[in-house]
Amino acid sequence: MRLKRGYYKSFVLLVALLIFAPQVSGQKKTKAPKVYTIEISKMKFIPADLVVEKGSKIVWINKDFYPHDITDEIKKTWSSKPINQNQSWSKIVTKNENYFCNLHKTMKGKITVK
């Protein structure tokens, strides 16, 4: 029994998919990070304490009249630039973070990574 050329190509493609599909499907799929929002309002971070998954994206949105920044409280290894009203800044978190506003030092927040 002879296969026509079109059927032969389809057959070869099907065999290739069956052979290589298990290898491709075994690869890890990267998923988009979960996004959490912290609002800056009335000189506070809302919520001030947040529990998230490792790799989550945190977005701070300034709803205050005053500029604010977000700065690592412990070692000051990272900081945003001052963000004005209705502007935002984001960071991917992989570990627990204590932060504060370096422009208004009484404003503090905490992110716990579970």
Side-chain angles (χ1 to χ4, degrees):
M1 179 170 139
R2 290 183 49 136
L3 294 174
K4 291 186 178 179
R5 222 167 247 215
Y7 291 118
Y8 180 76
K9 287 181 182 178
S10 297
F11 177 75
V12 170
L13 179 62
L14 178 62
V15 170
L17 285 173
L18 291 173
I19 292 171
F20 295 110
Q23 295 171 359
V24 173
S25 66
Q27 294 176 351
K28 268 190 166 180
K29 294 180 182 178
T30 56
K31 62 179 185 176
K34 190 162 183 183
V35 178
Y36 294 87
T37 302
I38 297 175
E39 188 174 291
I40 303 170
S41 180
K42 298 180 183 176
M43 303 294 283
K44 295 179 184 176
F45 294 109
I46 303 168
D49 293 320
L50 185 62
V51 178
V52 302
E53 297 83 22
K54 183 177 182 177
S56 294
K57 181 178 182 177
I58 313 300
V59 180
W60 287 265
I61 301 174
N62 186 2
K63 296 292 185 179
D64 239 341
F65 295 108
Y66 313 102
H68 295 287
D69 74 354
I70 301 94
T71 301
D72 173 30
E73 184 178 33
I74 309 292
K75 296 182 180 178
K76 298 179 182 52
T77 55
W78 55 265
S79 183
S80 72
K81 63 181 181 184
I83 54 176
N84 293 317
Q85 185 178 29
N86 295 321
Q87 290 183 332
S88 65
W89 183 77
S90 64
K91 176 178 176 40
I92 302 291
V93 293
T94 57
K95 60 184 179 70
N96 295 342
E97 301 282 4
N98 292 318
Y99 63 91
F100 74 114
C101 175
N102 200 32
L103 304 172
H104 309 100
K105 297 191 187 327
T106 59
M107 293 175 58
K108 296 184 179 194
K110 179 179 179 180
I111 299 169
T112 303
V113 174
K114 61 177 180 173

